[in-house]
Amino acid sequence: TEGGTRQATMRSTMNTVLTLALIPMAAAWAPIRASPLGRSSVVRHASGKTQDELKKEVGYKAVDDYVESGMLVGLGTGSTAAFAVERLGQLLKDGTLKDVTGIPTSVRTKEQAEELGIPLITLDENSEIDVAIDGADDVDPDLNLVKGGGGALLREKMVEVCAKKFIVIVDESKISKAGGLGPGFPIPVEITPFCHGHTQRLIGSLPSLAGCKPVLRLGSSSNNQPDGDEPAVTDNGNYIVDLFFDEPVKDAVKAASDLKNTVGVVDHGFFIGMTTAVIIAGSDGITVKEAK
């Protein structure tokens, strides 16, 4: 009996030690709170929702609130816009919406829309767009945007500038914390492959872009992380230069104009004065900011 008691005591002690040893491991695997610029979909925000869950909320809300039967809709590109396309496909399939046609802003969006059975046309067939819905990489206090992290900035701008309403869908991490555009997300510029090094130098020398570090995007055009050795190629066969800033661009309107007037530049990721409303998902729920 004494031996059995001693064995039971040893087992209890070992279980206690094992439990204490596992506590740090459990803590290591606990859900991580969002960092100020949290981009990962596994990160949970203060609301307890993942970034993908927040993106889904705003994507669905944009379609529910702004798309009606018979409309021509601009379909954005990116991880947030994909949820809006998904919702549009659902509502067409269940009959809630009828006779809605989309104009995609990228090959990726075109393929998603086709899989969902969304009828598609191009701007060549009709450019009277009722509403366009898309995400953004950075939003300033005046609802000016930086877009193009996914490499579709030219087609996005061509479609969205034609829309009677342009609805932007983001989670709260995309709202500028610097008070202006630049530091929150590098500004993409689509350029011609011909003499791209020359064009990159011209961009870096523009006074309105003082302080920027122009970096040629390598690998995939769908993100601004270097994931290859060759220049990233857009759907239009062009290259992208990403402009990194430590301080906000002083005059985004001037910077946008100077970029557009630079020979070799096709277009840029400044979307100035185009926004109708921004739908934002955050820790306090969903908020809508309308342009003044």
Side-chain angles (χ1 to χ4, degrees):
T1 304
E2 183 179 345
T5 301
R6 185 162 54 250
Q7 289 179 350
T9 301
M10 291 177 64
R11 283 197 300 271
S12 176
T13 301
M14 290 177 66
N15 287 338
T16 301
V17 171
L18 182 59
T19 300
L20 290 173
L22 287 173
I23 288 175
M25 186 180 294
W29 287 98
I32 303 172
R33 292 293 179 185
S35 64
L37 294 176
R39 306 287 185 200
S40 172
S41 61
V42 300
V43 172
R44 291 194 177 274
H45 291 239
S47 63
K49 297 177 181 178
T50 66
Q51 192 172 36
D52 273 352
E53 289 169 338
L54 295 176
K55 291 177 179 181
K56 183 175 182 178
E57 285 186 353
V58 293
Y60 277 39
K61 181 175 176 59
V63 174
D64 291 347
D65 290 358
Y66 290 95
V67 178
E68 299 176 1
S69 293
M71 281 188 168
L72 179 59
V73 181
L75 306 178
T77 294
S79 57
T80 308
F83 284 113
V85 178
E86 176 183 276
R87 182 59 168 170
L88 181 58
Q90 288 177 359
L91 297 182
L92 283 171
K93 185 176 181 179
D94 68 19
T96 302
L97 291 175
K98 294 178 173 62
D99 301 320
V100 173
T101 304
I103 296 184
T105 55
S106 67
V107 173
R108 298 193 307 279
T109 299
K110 177 178 180 289
E111 291 172 346
Q112 182 194 7
E114 287 175 339
E115 289 176 1
L116 294 169
I118 301 172
L120 300 176
I121 63 170
T122 70
L123 289 175
D124 286 340
E125 298 166 84
N126 188 353
S127 57
E128 296 291 327
I129 300 173
D130 294 293
V131 61
I133 301 171
D134 204 354
D137 299 303
D138 203 9
V139 183
D140 78 4
D142 295 322
L143 307 190
N144 295 316
L145 316 172
V146 169
K147 288 178 51 57
L153 62 100
L154 175 60
R155 296 190 185 191
E156 288 173 337
K157 188 175 288 184
M158 288 179 68
V159 170
E160 289 152 10
V161 76
C162 294
K164 298 170 186 174
K165 292 183 179 180
F166 176 32
I167 308 304
V168 179
I169 48 178
V170 296
D171 67 82
E172 61 187 355
S173 71
K174 305 300 176 66
I175 303 303
S176 174
K177 298 169 181 61
L181 302 176
F185 196 90
I187 296 158
V189 182
E190 188 161 345
I191 65 173
T192 59
F194 176 73
C195 294
H196 62 273
H198 162 72
T199 304
Q200 183 172 334
R201 288 195 301 273
L202 284 179
I203 292 169
S205 68
L206 291 173
S208 57
L209 295 173
C212 84
K213 178 185 178 183
V215 177
L216 182 67
R217 189 177 295 190
L218 301 177
S220 170
S221 65
S222 63
N223 66 79
N224 65 354
Q225 304 302 314
D227 54 5
D229 298 324
E230 297 297 320
V233 180
T234 70
D235 286 346
N236 314 298
N238 297 314
Y239 292 171
I240 291 180
V241 172
D242 292 301
L243 309 183
F244 290 79
F245 290 84
D246 292 326
E247 300 293 332
V249 176
K250 292 182 179 180
D251 188 342
V253 175
K254 172 66 172 169
S257 176
D258 289 349
L259 279 169
K260 190 69 174 178
N261 289 327
T262 299
V263 177
V265 169
V266 180
D267 218 317
H268 52 76
F270 285 113
F271 282 52
I272 307 295
M274 292 175 55
T275 305
T276 301
V278 179
I279 304 176
I280 307 161
S283 56
D284 296 328
I286 294 180
T287 57
V288 179
K289 290 186 177 180
E290 296 184 349
K292 298 177 181 179

